[in-house]
Amino acid sequence: MPRMNKATKSGIAAMTLALWLPPLSTAQDAPQSPASVAIEQLADDPQLTQAEARRARDAAINAWPSIEVASLVDAVEHHAIVQFIAPLPASARSLTLEVWASHPEFMGALVRVFTDSNDGATVATIAHAIAMGQPEAMATYSDLAAAVCVVLDRPHEYPGLGSILPAAPEVFDALVFAHQDRRVMALPLDDLPAEVLVYLTDIAMTGEGLRTIIQERRQTDPAELYGRVPYKQAGLLAGEPALPPEEFTFDRIAERGGLGPLRSFYAEQLGQAFGYPVALTTGHRGDERFTAPVFLERDRRGYRWNLQALPEHSGLALGTTRHAVTGEAMAVSELLLTADLAQDGVSSTRTAWALLQAAAQANESTRTSLLNASIEASGGFPEAWKQSLEIRLAQASAEPDGPQRVLTEFLDRLGQRSAVFATQLALDAIQGMDSGKAELLDWFSLSNRRDAISYAAAQLALGDLALAQGDRAAAMKIYEDLVNRQADETPLALDALARLDTMLTQDGRSDELLGLYGRTHRRLRAPRSSLEAEVRASAFMAVGERYEALLREAGRDREADRLRRQLDRSLP
């Protein structure tokens, strides 16, 4: 077979794309749209429809970058919708085809946030109920409807309450009702993408309960709500259950109070009732001493996640949260990127998502270009940054100082959005290399010595590398230097302390361990806070309580009692 020249290949690509892209024609002979054809075919032959959608998507990807972005986005989205509908049971498929025919924008939003943790048939049933009962609202609030469907398709566990599942269509109706009365909702629910709105729809209250809260018209942000709820209450300490959602009111919650997770849960629920996407975060340290709400807000500069409820180093986003749809743990630093999606809006989010999906199917020659285009459309998808860095590092690996150049450019670009996430991706990339790790980690550490978090993270990685190579002495020196330099500057220094604790305990060096904790605790300042939750979550308290336990194990009760009094005096 003769080899095809470039013109022949281009002609074949154009013919393939013609199957997807409608030609210019008069209204009388205009062909059916791909969606109309797929809706007809899916009822009878799902496999054929999937194959055709996949061919059209792949042809569009292969035509990049000459194809228009909008056409590529349409092809990727069309394929994702077909992939969602085709495996559904026949009854659920029929319901979803009705929704696709009447609300195509909703279906596009749905496939962006649907995950393997969702039940497709249940999601289809909820979507059909909303489309039939509230068709105009679904058209206006497509992304909100998608967020409701993927979050409220199964029960969720809530502190002190157990498993709860409110009726999704009623929750959607109540949120739309609140937003249409612009005096209530904090953010424009008709403009935000579903990827952000999923953090709004994790609601335990019924639609009626939401309306009751909304009608109180108290636009209090979640951080204020969190601060106003008493930290603890005797009944709850004894195991008394939380307030049932139907009794949620500002006055009842403030009267009842609760421990850390419960206070955050109340702040989350009431904040969501007024239109704030809220995520519950836990501490960076292993003992996870606190739970606090972070929430999306908008000011003159745009959207950002407000971290003020996080005790100690609140701006650093070192904690963890859970993905609103999958429930899987994720870094708060990763969550921060979704503020870009809110800022860029639904159209740009859709484009960025589709280009990222296309990159996963593209060959090496076009993958980088697609990832860059995705990030240009919106920088809110962490996976795009991760893949882009991996590819650029691989391409620069043979250049003198190529990895250093790539990492410097990458940190400058992503660091403006989420510095902690940028640092973590960079260090993960270095640690995944086959050779030269120690040299690059040294360079990274020295380059960022004025940035406490980046420096500490690099030092931890260096210590871990030394330990993995069997050099325990070098690892311990790196960890102890980090504790000595930064114990009161960054929580990451306490990670080094924890590693030293493990190693000295394994070696039976209890006297050295006591000395280490004694020196470290003397360097820490007692927090100046009137909030008990913040004091109990502080490094001063965490290290002090571990030191107290070690003193008692060593039979030094008098010193332990003295330390206990010092810790108690720090409490408000």
Side-chain angles (χ1 to χ4, degrees), residues 403 430-440:
I430 292 172
Q431 290 168 305
M433 294 178 177
D434 294 330
S435 60
K437 298 178 190 177
E439 293 80 3
L440 268 178

Side-chain angles (χ1 to χ4, degrees), residues 45 97 260 277 372 377 382-383 402 413 469 497 543:
D45 197 339
L97 291 174
N372 288 338
E383 191 60 30
R413 192 177 178 195
Q469 293 173 342
L497 180 65
V543 173

